[in-house]
Amino acid sequence: MTLWDVFVDLSWIGILLLAGQFMRAKIPIFQKFFIPASLLAGILAFVLGPNGLGWIPFSKWLGTYAAVLVAVIFAAAPIDEDDGEPKKADKNSERSRMMWGMTINTMGIAVLQYGVGILLTMYVLRIFYPELHEGFGLMMATAFFGGPGTAAAVGGALELVGWNDGAVVGYTLCSVGIIGGILLGIVIINWGARKGYTNYVTDPHDLPREMLTGLIPPENQKKSGKITVSGISLDSMAFHLGIVLLAGYLGYLMTQYFKGLTGFEIPVFCTALIAGYLVQFVMKKTKAARYVDKSTVSRISGTSTDFLIVSALGSIDVQVVITYAVPLLVTIVAAFVLNWAWFIFIGGHTSPKDWFERNLMVWGQACGVLATGILLERIVDPEQKAYAVEDTGFANLISRPIITFLTVAPPIFIGLFPLISSHILGWACIAATIVILLVGWKMKWYTPGGPLPKGRALERLVKEEKQGELVH
């Protein structure tokens, strides 16, 4: 492998991303169902690449890019321009209840997906497929709540403990989760509008053109970040990229050192995350964090995610998908049913108001990526009046230690303690979900019972129609 091989691979990934955006901007069906350009590009990479028609000259190393890119994504996660402390609110206020209700909602479905996925594999699927690797149980939460980055990370970690198909299974589930999350999300929105659960719109079809095509017109375009370093000295993007790569490389060195010391290899994404926190700590102590722009770091992470999706889907082996077809189908159905049951019976009772709009955010995140949740929530709350995005940020900040543990630890436990670790982890996640809900109930952040509250949009429309009739 030469640097020119890397250049050709990355060039083709970039070309396919442009093609995916062109398809999104010009083909109505992709606009109607909000299919992301990166996902379209990944499908093109799969169809036209070495595992498909063979028209694109990807190198044999295409499948390895995901492991490197996910290290970049995890290294970037802790890098911030401030302490990231959640804003405090009066514990008895409605806003506080909304923030903590979103935390219960988000954290609960994430932990429950791990528990259900693991137990479904250990007590159902392995009855019919005894040779199914116990790591398969992690795939539901890894691919659905975790998204492409987590699928690449956990899939790569499972390869280290003997399951070479983990990454491909994760990519497949993740793709289905994103597409299904969007399509079913649109169905849920129309159902909610008909039932009168929406608060801000009665017709979800009148959307800004930019949401359909993905192209923002010049008059609505905004700056994506701040310039924190003078271009006379160093380009600001190079500065931020250097910080992220420093954390990623330190993580790589930590993995290599630990492997040489113990013979056990910790996945690089785990150590890259730790290194990211160390770099952030040093920058805070030295006041260097004041020169960090979180938006720029997010652009680096987002770009890495787009390239990861294309490289991951382009390297999917059809034979592996066929081999796991039935377990995959069962897991997919179980995941969507679980997310829908949570949406109605749990999520619907975690917000004192605007439950439908806020719950769509959690649905989208639980089906693959946070961007899906933002997309669906914006359809029913165009002016962002439900505080769904802000409170999801708070919820993810509070949930981060638990989600990080569930991402990092299970593959390691499976490697160290096969046969028993999955049983313990599965039941522990179910118990943890119950505890989360009990705490939420005790603190009145989760208020089960009773019908789902009706929204205000339909009531307002009826009043306006009656007023119009009186006028005439």
Side-chain angles (χ1 to χ4, degrees):
M1 183 179 186
T2 68
L3 286 177
W4 284 113
D5 292 324
V6 177
F7 175 78
V8 171
D9 286 342
L10 295 181
S11 296
W12 270 109
I13 292 174
I15 292 168
L16 291 176
L17 284 169
L18 294 176
Q21 178 54 55
F22 179 83
M23 293 166 64
R24 170 64 182 269
K26 297 297 182 181
I27 301 178
I29 191 171
F30 296 141
Q31 297 174 12
K32 180 179 179 180
F33 295 112
F34 302 97
I35 306 301
S38 58
L39 198 57
L40 294 174
I43 294 172
L44 289 176
F46 171 72
V47 173
L48 303 178
N51 294 323
L53 298 175
W55 293 354
I56 297 179
F58 283 124
S59 73
K60 64 179 181 179
W61 305 100
L62 179 65
T64 65
Y65 295 142
V68 177
L69 290 169
V70 77
V72 175
I73 294 167
F74 275 77
I79 308 300
D80 204 346
E81 58 196 25
D82 52 36
D83 291 327
E85 293 293 334
K87 295 180 179 179
K88 301 297 182 181
D90 178 36
K91 64 179 182 180
N92 295 319
S93 70
E94 184 180 75
R95 281 295 298 124
S96 178
R97 289 176 57 200
M98 291 174 69
M99 293 165 66
W100 285 104
M102 183 67 88
T103 303
I104 295 297
N105 200 354
T106 302
M107 186 188 302
I109 186 58
V111 176
L112 185 60
Q113 278 190 6
Y114 275 100
V116 172
I118 292 171
L119 298 182
L120 177 66
T121 294
M122 301 305 293
Y123 298 123
V124 178
L125 294 178
R126 293 189 85 181
I127 293 177
F128 303 97
Y129 301 90
E131 301 301 318
L132 187 65
H133 194 278
E134 61 182 296
F136 189 92
L138 302 175
M139 290 295 102
M140 178 188 291
T142 290
F144 273 68
F145 191 91
T150 306
V154 175
L158 290 172
E159 289 179 0
L160 300 177
V161 297
W163 190 35
N164 294 326
D165 300 332
V168 173
V169 169
Y171 301 150
T172 303
L173 280 172
C174 188
S175 302
V176 175
I178 293 173
I179 296 174
I182 295 173
L183 298 183
L184 292 176
I186 300 298
V187 173
I188 291 172
I189 288 172
N190 285 282
W191 168 80
R194 290 195 304 271
K195 296 286 287 186
Y197 291 137
T198 57
N199 292 280
Y200 302 104
V201 297
T202 54
D203 186 355
H205 296 95
D206 297 329
L207 300 174
R209 183 67 179 165
E210 62 200 61
M211 287 188 65
L212 299 175
T213 65
L215 297 174
I216 302 175
E219 63 272 15
N220 294 334
Q221 294 172 4
K222 300 177 182 179
K223 296 185 182 299
S224 63
K226 298 181 293 185
I227 303 298
T228 62
V229 179
S230 173
I232 297 175
S233 174
L234 178 67
D235 185 84
S236 186
M237 179 61 75
F239 173 75
H240 288 84
L241 184 60
I243 294 173
V244 173
L245 292 179
L246 169 63
Y249 182 61
L250 289 176
Y252 171 78
L253 292 178
M254 291 166 63
T255 291
Q256 295 301 309
Y257 175 78
F258 192 80
K259 181 181 179 181
L261 190 66
T262 65
F264 184 78
E265 185 173 355
I266 299 177
V268 176
F269 82 90
C270 302
T271 51
L273 182 67
I274 295 172
Y277 280 110
L278 292 175
V279 170
Q280 175 68 5
F281 175 79
V282 172
M283 288 195 302
K284 284 292 182 184
K285 289 298 182 180
T286 60
K287 308 297 183 182
R290 69 181 70 178
Y291 302 108
V292 172
D293 173 48
K294 183 60 177 179
S295 180
T296 302
V297 176
S298 296
R299 298 287 74 74
I300 294 171
S301 178
T303 300
S304 299
T305 301
D306 286 336
F307 274 69
L308 182 151
I309 291 172
V310 181
S311 63
L313 296 185
S315 60
I316 286 179
D317 187 340
V318 179
Q319 187 56 50
V320 173
V321 177
I322 294 174
T323 301
Y324 293 94
V326 175
L328 281 170
L329 182 60
V330 172
T331 300
I332 289 167
V333 172
F336 283 125
V337 170
L338 176 65
N339 288 350
W340 171 246
W342 184 274
F343 184 97
I344 293 297
F345 298 109
I346 307 296
H349 300 283
T350 57
S351 292
K353 68 175 186 178
D354 299 340
W355 73 269
F356 186 78
E357 291 78 6
R358 294 163 63 80
N359 216 12
L360 278 171
M361 177 74 74
V362 179
W363 165 272
Q365 186 171 8
C367 289
V369 287
L370 182 59
T372 299
I374 294 173
L375 164 69
L376 296 173
E377 197 276 337
R378 190 178 173 192
I379 293 174
V380 292
D381 180 19
E383 298 180 12
Q384 304 291 283
K385 294 180 179 179
Y387 296 101
V389 175
E390 295 93 328
D391 291 355
T392 296
F394 175 87
N396 284 329
L397 182 64
I398 300 300
S399 305
R400 184 181 297 175
I402 294 176
I403 304 305
T404 300
F405 174 81
L406 290 174
T407 301
V408 173
I412 297 176
F413 289 162
I414 288 174
L416 293 174
F417 310 106
L419 303 180
I420 63 170
S421 58
S422 290
H423 296 279
I424 295 173
L425 284 168
W427 287 113
C429 286
I430 298 298
T433 304
I434 295 173
V435 170
I436 290 169
L437 293 178
L438 286 175
V439 171
W441 172 73
K442 181 68 175 178
M443 300 301 293
K444 295 183 171 56
W445 303 329
Y446 165 55
T447 54
L452 292 171
K454 290 292 184 178
R456 300 182 297 276
L458 191 58
E459 294 177 1
R460 186 164 54 246
L461 180 63
V462 171
K463 289 181 180 178
E464 290 175 354
E465 289 178 348
K466 287 182 178 179
Q467 290 175 353
E469 291 174 358
L470 291 175
V471 171
H472 290 87

